[in-house]
Amino acid sequence: MAMNASQLFLRRAQKVGSRNLAALSRDARSPIFSPCPACRHLSRTTRRSKPAPADDPNFLSIVDNPPNLVRTGRRHGPGLIILALIPITAFALGSWQVQRLDWKSKLVAKLEDRLVRDPLPLPPRIDPDAISEFDYRRIYATGHLRHDQEMLIGPRMRDGNEGYMVITPLERGDEGTTVLVNRGWISKKFKNKESRPDGLPKGEITVEGLLREPWKKNMFTPENSPQTNEFFFPDVEQMAKLTGSQPVWIEETMEPDLLSTWDRDARGIPIGRAPEVNLRNNHAQYIFTWYALAAATSVMLWMVVKKPPGDIARRVRQNKEWR
């Protein structure tokens, strides 16, 4: 028998009511949540065994106690130590060059003082150990040039032209001794003595020049070869033994006259050096270079220390007083 509309509505209402009643019974068995006025979060209404930190009136949260930013891990590696040593080393080298400049300036002043004095006659016998005390001292000596024992040191450049330094023993008749004379520079085309008759004076002559200390060979200069008459640097002791001379080195001087220099160059006459001190004095440039390097690397070190390294960019918050 078909159900009418009122009976169907009543049966559906009974089913819905039974489902709602079951839901209410489940909620009755579960704990009830209500908003907490202290921390504004949901909390259980059931009794707790331990009080919450927020219940303490002296509690300070992270908002009340602001944190500090700290870095973690290693700040810098060993490269920072190397970078720190560069300005220290550069400053030390610059200070050392200051001392070298003072020493070289005094040495040049002492040698220039010797140049302004009147020339002395060269004694018959000279103590090689005493030559350093008369370095750059003007002297003169009289004798005969031994062109048969001439030695050429080179190649040597002068104004862009290749040539040689002419070394000739001076035999002094009255004293009976011989010294080595650096007569000056000649062009390469006058290497053979036959091509420069004007540059081979005969008879007794007087040579005026500077008494100099023996030269020192650097590591890049090849050894002399006396067997083939090839000399690359003035080894005074070696040349003195070859010619039977005293180990005394004299550099002949001439006044720096351009016309006289051109005439000597054209005739194959050795061009002597000017009577002046030619010591290198670049210590002021070295001072500027080392101090500038020290300043630049100091700025670099400051920038590196100030800027955090790339591998330690992570930061963490650390509270002043954790509770």
Side-chain angles (χ1 to χ4, degrees), residues 158-159 254-265:
R158 177 185 173 87
D159 297 334
M254 59 172 288
E255 293 299 327
D257 184 7
L258 184 60
L259 295 178
S260 176
T261 300
W262 286 350
D263 180 66
R264 285 172 172 258
D265 189 13

Side-chain angles (χ1 to χ4, degrees), residues 89-151:
T89 305
F91 183 82
L93 291 175
S95 302
W96 176 65
Q97 288 297 330
V98 171
Q99 299 177 1
R100 293 280 296 175
L101 176 62
D102 180 68
W103 167 79
K104 183 62 70 67
S105 300
K106 292 179 179 178
L107 177 62
V108 172
K110 180 177 66 174
L111 298 180
E112 288 180 346
D113 178 68
R114 295 175 181 176
L115 286 176
V116 299
R117 299 181 182 182
D118 295 333
L120 295 175
L122 189 67
R125 292 288 176 180
I126 302 173
D127 184 7
D129 297 332
I131 294 179
S132 59
E133 301 177 4
F134 295 89
D135 193 22
Y136 277 92
R137 189 66 169 87
R138 295 173 59 192
I139 56 92
Y140 63 90
T142 303
H144 296 80
L145 292 174
R146 295 290 305 272
H147 299 293
D148 57 325
Q149 296 180 337
E150 180 184 271
M151 295 167 286

Side-chain angles (χ1 to χ4, degrees), residues 93-313:
L93 291 175
S95 302
W96 176 65
Q97 288 297 330
V98 171
Q99 299 177 1
R100 293 280 296 175
L101 176 62
D102 180 68
W103 167 79
K104 183 62 70 67
S105 300
K106 292 179 179 178
L107 177 62
V108 172
K110 180 177 66 174
L111 298 180
E112 288 180 346
D113 178 68
R114 295 175 181 176
L115 286 176
V116 299
R117 299 181 182 182
D118 295 333
L120 295 175
L122 189 67
R125 292 288 176 180
I126 302 173
D127 184 7
D129 297 332
I131 294 179
S132 59
E133 301 177 4
F134 295 89
D135 193 22
Y136 277 92
R137 189 66 169 87
R138 295 173 59 192
I139 56 92
Y140 63 90
T142 303
H144 296 80
L145 292 174
R146 295 290 305 272
H147 299 293
D148 57 325
Q149 296 180 337
E150 180 184 271
M151 295 167 286
L152 301 179
I153 300 177
R156 290 290 188 276
M157 303 299 295
R158 177 185 173 87
D159 297 334
N161 299 320
E162 185 178 350
Y164 298 91
M165 303 299 297
V166 180
I167 313 301
T168 307
L170 178 67
E171 189 177 60
R172 298 186 290 173
D174 296 339
E175 290 82 2
T177 57
T178 305
V179 294
L180 298 174
V181 178
N182 179 6
R183 300 183 58 205
W185 182 89
I186 61 170
S187 178
K188 183 179 180 181
K189 62 183 179 181
F190 295 111
K191 182 177 181 179
N192 295 326
K193 289 182 291 186
E194 291 76 10
S195 62
R196 46 185 169 92
D198 295 337
L200 305 174
K202 307 294 184 180
E204 187 177 75
I205 64 171
T206 299
V207 176
E208 183 175 340
L210 304 179
L211 184 64
R212 294 299 316 279
E213 284 188 284
W215 291 38
K216 296 180 181 180
K217 173 181 173 297
N218 58 44
M219 59 182 301
F220 302 103
T221 304
E223 296 291 339
N224 293 335
S225 179
Q227 297 79 9
T228 58
N229 199 25
E230 291 180 330
F231 298 90
F232 302 100
F233 76 101
D235 189 340
V236 178
E237 296 289 342
Q238 183 186 57
M239 292 180 173
K241 292 180 180 179
L242 291 175
T243 58
S245 306
Q246 295 184 85
V248 178
W249 184 266
I250 300 173
E251 293 185 353
E252 187 175 1
T253 58
M254 59 172 288
E255 293 299 327
D257 184 7
L258 184 60
L259 295 178
S260 176
T261 300
W262 286 350
D263 180 66
R264 285 172 172 258
D265 189 13
R267 298 166 57 190
I269 302 176
I271 302 174
R273 57 162 297 170
E276 59 186 16
V277 179
N278 56 359
L279 296 179
R280 296 179 59 184
N281 190 5
N282 299 328
H283 298 289
Q285 301 178 13
Y286 298 150
I287 292 173
F288 175 79
T289 301
W290 287 120
Y291 279 157
L293 180 62
T297 51
S298 297
V299 173
M300 293 174 58
L301 178 63
W302 177 80
M303 295 176 62
V304 171
V305 172
K306 182 180 179 182
K307 182 180 179 181
D311 58 340
I312 314 176

